[in-house]
């Protein structure tokens, strides 16, 4: 399984894009501004988009992608997400005001399908087994566990420290966990209010984990990347490295 980090920043700026990971050729995990790296031929290969939550930094590329491929697409794109997330996309994005309702276009065979996945349930998506994992964030959010051929990884989505997520990780034992570490410890009150983890909360993760997956930090606040990375080193004996824009992880 190949995971391409198209975007992993908590904001925007030169060289910085928001959350979007491409899994092999046909699956996106979140559709933030990182999607801009994909040329149209690659966008046309996308069949599935897993969305953790409806915050703009994780979805803004989805309506733009659908408009870009609309007249050339050969197969519909299916969005997999919590029922509440799908409802938010329908009500607030694909509502004919902000953007056309691509689940009704073209009327003969719409380009956009929705597939609701409740927290804790597992389904097959192409060659992947996907489990929706619990998360804690101001907007309805799920993490995901994704496996193929004996290789697997998990993503917290945006979430504060949420013990049920890490207990699920112990049960599922993915090789890699990508975790939202948005803030340094100085910003702990902002982190708490906005539902993200701080670097020092990795010590709580360390206390829950019963094995040692590879851990990667994502969604770092723009301008504080070095501070957060240094704080991570001081907070835990776990080996946690920030994701890098443009890197490819192979499992
Ligand atoms: Zn969010
Ligand atoms: Zn976010």
């Amino acid at each position: 399984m190949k995971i391409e980090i198209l975007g992993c920043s908590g904001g925007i700026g030169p060289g910085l894009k928001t959350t979007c990971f491409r899994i092999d050729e046909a699956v996106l995990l979140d559709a933030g501004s990182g999607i801009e790296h994909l040329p149209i031929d690659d966008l046309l290969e996308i069949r599935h988009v897993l969305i953790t939550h409806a915050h703009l930094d994780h979805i803004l590329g989805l309506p733009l992608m659908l408009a870009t491929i609309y007249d050339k697409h050969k197969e519909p794109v299916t969005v997999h997400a919590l029922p509440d997330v799908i409802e938010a996309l329908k009500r607030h994005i694909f509502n004919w005001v902000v953007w056309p309702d691509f689940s009704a276009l073209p009327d003969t065979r719409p380009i956009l399908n929705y597939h609701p996945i409740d927290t804790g349930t597992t389904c097959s998506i192409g060659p992947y087994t996907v489990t929706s994992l619990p998360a804690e964030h101001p907007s309805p959010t799920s993490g995901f566990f994704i496996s193929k051929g004996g290789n697997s990884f998990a993503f917290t989505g945006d979430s504060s420290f949420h013990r049920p997520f890490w207990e699920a990780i112990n049960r599922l034992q993915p090789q890699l966990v990508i975790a939202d570490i948005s803030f340094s410890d100085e910003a702990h009150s902002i982190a708490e209010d906005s539902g993200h983890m701080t670097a020092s909360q990795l010590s709580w993760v360390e206390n829950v984990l019963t094995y040692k997956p590879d851990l990667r930090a994502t969604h770092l606040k723009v301008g504080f990347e070095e501070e957060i990375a240094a704080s991570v080193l001081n907070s835990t004996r776990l080996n946690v490295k920030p994701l890098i824009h443009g890197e490819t992880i192979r499992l």
Side-chain angles (χ1 to χ4, degrees):
M1 184 160 44
K2 184 177 77 175
I3 307 161
E4 257 179 290
I5 308 304
L6 301 174
C8 57
S9 177
I12 57 169
L16 301 175
K17 304 284 183 188
T18 67
T19 307
C20 185
F21 310 143
R22 179 165 66 163
I23 303 166
D24 298 324
E25 311 305 327
V27 178
L28 292 180
L29 175 47
D30 278 343
S33 65
I35 203 170
E36 293 169 16
H37 287 298
L38 297 180
I40 187 165
D41 286 347
D42 288 4
L43 293 176
L44 285 164
E45 297 296 317
I46 301 297
R47 295 286 173 273
H48 303 280
V49 183
L50 280 66
I51 297 286
T52 59
H53 66 307
H55 275 167
L56 207 54
D57 54 325
H58 298 253
I59 63 154
L60 68 90
L62 177 63
L64 299 172
M65 176 182 90
L66 295 173
T68 300
I69 65 175
Y70 180 72
D71 53 350
K72 284 191 173 171
H73 88 282
K74 298 181 185 73
E75 297 291 333
V77 173
T78 302
V79 166
H80 309 265
L82 291 174
D84 284 348
V85 172
I86 289 172
E87 184 57 32
L89 291 172
K90 287 179 178 175
R91 185 179 302 179
H92 302 297
I93 302 294
F94 297 106
N95 58 9
W96 295 108
V97 177
V98 172
W99 211 247
D101 177 7
F102 279 111
S103 69
L105 291 171
D107 55 7
T108 46
R109 192 177 63 150
I111 184 173
L112 171 62
N113 294 321
Y114 295 109
H115 172 227
I117 314 179
D118 286 309
T119 305
T121 59
T122 297
C123 61
S124 293
I125 295 174
Y128 309 92
T129 301
V130 174
T131 301
S132 175
L133 300 177
E136 192 174 64
H137 199 53
S139 179
T141 299
S142 67
F144 285 109
F145 166 85
I146 299 164
S147 72
K148 184 182 86 169
N151 294 309
S152 58
F153 79 103
F155 176 38
T156 58
D158 282 6
S159 182
S160 54
F161 172 77
H162 191 49
R163 194 177 176 91
F165 173 89
W166 296 101
E167 289 172 344
I169 293 303
N170 282 337
R171 286 193 300 277
L172 295 164
Q173 304 246 323
Q175 294 140 278
L176 164 72
V177 181
I178 299 174
D180 164 13
I181 311 288
S182 289
F183 291 102
S184 61
D185 299 320
E186 286 70 27
H188 66 89
S189 64
I190 300 173
E192 200 171 311
D193 292 345
S194 59
H196 297 280
M197 279 177 64
T198 63
S200 71
Q201 288 170 348
L202 284 164
S203 63
W204 304 353
V205 170
E206 188 177 342
N207 287 337
V208 176
L209 282 178
T210 55
Y211 76 112
K212 282 194 173 170
D214 284 336
L215 272 163
R216 304 295 299 272
T218 188
H219 211 284
L220 278 62
K221 177 80 176 162
V222 174
F224 294 86
E225 292 91 342
E226 288 182 11
E227 193 179 319
I228 297 166
S231 188
V232 163
L233 283 178
N234 292 331
S235 301
T236 176
R237 286 168 296 166
L238 297 168
N239 184 17
V240 187
K241 293 193 201 109
L243 288 178
I244 300 165
H245 280 86
E247 75 169 307
T248 298
I249 300 168
R250 292 175 195 277
L251 298 175

